[in-house]
Amino acid sequence: MTILVTRPEPAGSALVTQLHKFGYEAWSLPLIEFAPGCDLNNLPKQLATLRTGDLVFLLSQRVIHYAHPVLELYNTAWPAEIKYYAIGYKTAVAFHTISGHNVDYPRTKEISEELIRLSSLQQISGKKALILRSDKGRKVLAETLNERGAKVLFSQCYQHCQKLYDGVIEGNRWRSYGIKTLVITSGAMLQQLFFLFPEVDRTEWLLRCRIVVVSERLAILANQLGWQDIQIANGADNDALLRTLC
């Protein structure tokens, strides 16, 4: 099995290294990189408006990577008496480590659909809910919180920047390497990969690969684009992807 990992760095190279230890041929082709978000400087003021029992949602570890230094720059602490929610275990651990605050998170998949099932989020009418996210945040969390009566606020803590490649060169490269399996962790990257290569590479190679995705939503999108051999990992972190690939 020869594997192409499209995760951004450093997660992509880390997964490739783990796959090498298990004897697999694997390479990294990061499709995106990240930059600070446009709302970061306003984050301390947004946090200051929250009151006891209000909600803060941390939708990735990268949110913490960009947000925490800004709070330190402004000599601002993460407020106490706020209920914090993370998209998954590793994000929860990262936030607890830098803040000392308790964090709730879904124990199953790291997706918004599981997060909104938490029992403590069923009765939230009248609460403020501040969502810390990227520029590519999905709508399902915000829409659900709004339907349950919360006042939803956003802070774009980081943004995605598409990495540019020559599709002809990359198509020749990865076909010559015998890539048979693709790892995709977002809808934006899935479409970016699909449109990167010339049509001949898509039909003769790309769509014939097995594709490993991280949600049912991505599996449906992959099928709509033309993939047939689709596998869903039980999580979006490298450990879950490694279990699926191995």
Side-chain angles (χ1 to χ4, degrees):
M1 181 168 61
T2 49
I3 304 166
L4 185 63
V5 177
T6 65
R7 302 205 76 175
E9 299 295 4
S13 292
L15 180 56
V16 166
T17 298
Q18 290 175 297
L19 287 165
H20 287 168
K21 291 179 181 178
F22 281 88
Y24 294 103
E25 294 184 55
W27 290 268
S28 176
L29 180 70
L31 294 177
I32 59 173
E33 54 191 359
F34 303 101
C38 62
D39 295 331
L40 277 176
N41 288 334
N42 195 44
L43 179 58
K45 293 181 180 178
Q46 286 183 297
L47 290 172
T49 69
L50 301 180
R51 298 294 179 259
T52 300
D54 284 340
L55 320 170
V56 171
F57 293 86
L58 307 133
L59 297 191
S60 74
Q61 295 180 66
R62 198 161 285 107
V63 160
I64 304 165
H65 171 79
Y66 282 102
H68 188 63
V70 172
L71 266 63
E72 290 185 317
L73 179 64
Y74 285 90
N75 197 28
T76 302
W78 294 95
E81 309 303 327
I82 301 299
K83 295 182 179 179
Y84 291 96
Y85 294 88
I87 194 65
Y89 171 75
K90 290 188 175 181
T91 302
V93 170
F95 182 72
H96 178 75
T97 300
I98 60 97
S99 70
H101 296 314
N102 293 328
V103 194
D104 201 358
Y105 61 94
R107 269 59 174 178
T108 51
K109 292 185 177 182
E110 296 185 4
I111 55 176
S112 297
E113 288 83 353
E114 295 299 320
L115 180 58
I116 58 180
R117 289 193 178 103
L118 293 174
S119 59
S120 58
L121 290 176
Q122 304 310 304
Q123 302 294 329
I124 55 173
S125 180
K127 303 294 185 181
K128 283 185 179 179
L130 176 59
I131 299 177
L132 309 188
R133 63 176 189 174
S134 74
D135 59 324
K136 300 293 185 181
R138 295 173 61 208
K139 297 180 180 180
V140 61
L141 175 61
E143 290 176 347
T144 304
L145 297 174
N146 185 65
E147 290 170 359
R148 294 175 183 173
K151 180 181 180 181
V152 179
L153 310 171
F154 299 97
S155 178
Q156 185 197 113
C157 294
Y158 68 98
Q159 57 185 316
H160 296 70
C161 303
Q162 182 174 315
K163 292 179 68 69
L164 301 179
Y165 296 98
D166 186 311
V168 174
I169 293 174
E170 296 304 324
N172 290 334
R173 182 206 307 269
W174 302 119
R175 291 183 72 170
S176 70
Y177 283 14
I179 295 296
K180 303 293 184 185
T181 297
L182 310 167
V183 178
I184 309 287
T185 55
S186 81
M189 288 191 290
L190 179 62
Q191 296 186 68
Q192 182 182 344
L193 187 71
F194 178 83
F195 290 109
L196 171 62
F197 302 105
E199 185 175 356
V200 63
D201 288 323
R202 289 202 299 265
T203 57
E204 293 182 358
W205 162 66
L206 189 70
L207 293 175
R208 297 182 182 183
C209 291
R210 177 175 70 131
I211 183 169
V212 176
V213 297
V214 297
S215 69
E216 182 68 29
R217 178 180 60 87
L218 284 186
I220 292 172
L221 178 57
N223 182 255
Q224 291 172 342
L225 290 171
W227 273 280
Q228 298 298 318
D229 189 357
I230 305 168
Q231 190 169 4
I232 303 175
N234 188 31
D237 61 283
N238 276 356
D239 291 341
L241 290 166
L242 188 65
R243 288 193 297 270
T244 300
L245 290 165
C246 293

